[in-house]
Amino acid sequence: LLFLGPNATTLFEKLAQKYVEGGVFFPGEGEVNEIVIASDNHLANVTPWMNLARVTGAVIKWWICTGHHSNDPVLNDDDNDDESPLVEKRLNSTITTSTNLSSLLTDQTRIVTISHSSNILLGSILNIKRLCQTVKKRCPRAHVIVDGVALVPHVFAAVRDSGVDWYVVSCHKLFGPHVGGLCGRRKALWDMFKNSDGGCKDVGAGSQCRGTDGNDND
């Protein structure tokens, strides 16, 4: 699936709004949904999810990225989390930070949002295929959302084979028009609206999904 919008920032905002409209983040009694945000994300991939948490009561967890991702079991071949460096700090009753992504993943994780390559940690490129495999294994209902704006002008992203649910790019960074592109998996769209009236009736051939209003820019 491919959606176009005015820019990457707007697409992240719209995507977060659709999660709210779809009812994904309004859990049953006794449940708390969680969002894991990488600390090296661009603000465009942070603010929408913080706003979503504020509206729905979801818990934000911060993956503190240091640039030394090889120490994280998510990005190497060692499945033994106990032998990997772990720095975890609970700031208050609702915020947890860790340098170990695996330690932040639970059955309540609904979104993991990261940058494929950060403009903060220069030269750092995440192995998003391995990351997605680990996230899906630990929390099958979680969606992985990736900001690819800083990477795609330099490296082929191979989004189709990565396992990512949503991937956002800026076409003007690729010497194209000033629009944003949102690539997504059909199953991710179905997951978002399967419990919502007026959402997607089908995500196969000839699918019908509720879009934005006619006067919307994207």
Side-chain angles (χ1 to χ4, degrees):
L1 299 173
L2 175 63
F3 302 90
L4 298 179
N7 47 59
T9 299
T10 300
L11 288 172
F12 279 122
E13 292 171 350
K14 292 292 186 182
L15 184 61
Q17 291 172 11
K18 295 304 178 184
Y19 275 101
V20 175
E21 292 176 9
V24 175
F25 275 82
F26 292 97
E29 184 176 355
E31 293 182 343
V32 177
N33 289 328
E34 298 172 352
I35 304 170
V36 177
I37 304 177
S39 64
D40 63 344
N41 268 315
H42 189 284
L43 190 61
N45 197 21
V46 172
T47 303
W49 311 114
M50 295 187 70
N51 290 337
L52 185 152
R54 189 176 297 112
V55 170
T56 64
V59 172
I60 295 288
K61 292 184 173 182
W62 290 93
W63 179 29
I64 306 302
C65 300
T66 64
H68 302 290
H69 297 300
S70 60
N71 290 331
D72 195 311
V74 167
L75 302 178
N76 61 39
D77 295 325
D78 187 358
D79 292 328
N80 188 350
D81 292 355
D82 294 335
E83 297 180 358
S84 301
L86 173 62
V87 178
E88 185 169 301
K89 179 179 180 182
R90 184 166 294 278
L91 300 179
N92 57 42
S93 60
T94 58
I95 301 177
T96 299
T97 71
S98 177
T99 58
N100 183 333
L101 177 58
S102 296
S103 71
L104 299 173
L105 302 175
T106 71
D107 292 339
Q108 286 72 48
T109 304
R110 295 294 174 265
I111 285 178
V112 176
T113 180
I114 61 174
S115 291
H116 199 164
S117 179
S118 174
N119 55 8
I120 298 174
L121 301 175
L122 297 180
S124 176
I125 300 177
L126 285 180
N127 185 334
I128 59 172
K129 184 174 183 178
R130 184 172 297 170
L131 184 147
C132 287
Q133 290 171 346
T134 299
V135 170
K136 299 296 184 179
K137 180 179 179 180
R138 297 285 294 270
C139 33
R141 291 191 291 173
H143 285 180
V144 178
I145 300 169
V146 179
D147 180 351
V149 172
L151 178 97
V152 292
H154 311 286
V155 178
F156 178 64
V159 175
R160 183 185 297 273
D161 299 325
S162 68
V164 167
D165 294 285
W166 299 103
Y167 195 99
V168 178
V169 300
S170 291
C171 296
H172 69 278
K173 298 290 181 68
L174 298 166
F175 304 102
H178 198 290
V179 296
L182 171 64
C183 305
R185 296 185 343 89
R186 292 183 185 275
K187 184 179 183 303
L189 188 64
W190 169 250
D191 288 344
M192 187 184 299
F193 283 105
K194 62 184 178 182
N195 297 322
S196 172
D197 293 335
C200 289
K201 305 301 183 183
D202 183 18
V203 290
S207 62
Q208 295 182 352
C209 300
R210 181 181 61 192
T212 55
D213 295 335
N215 61 352
D216 200 294
N217 289 331
D218 56 6

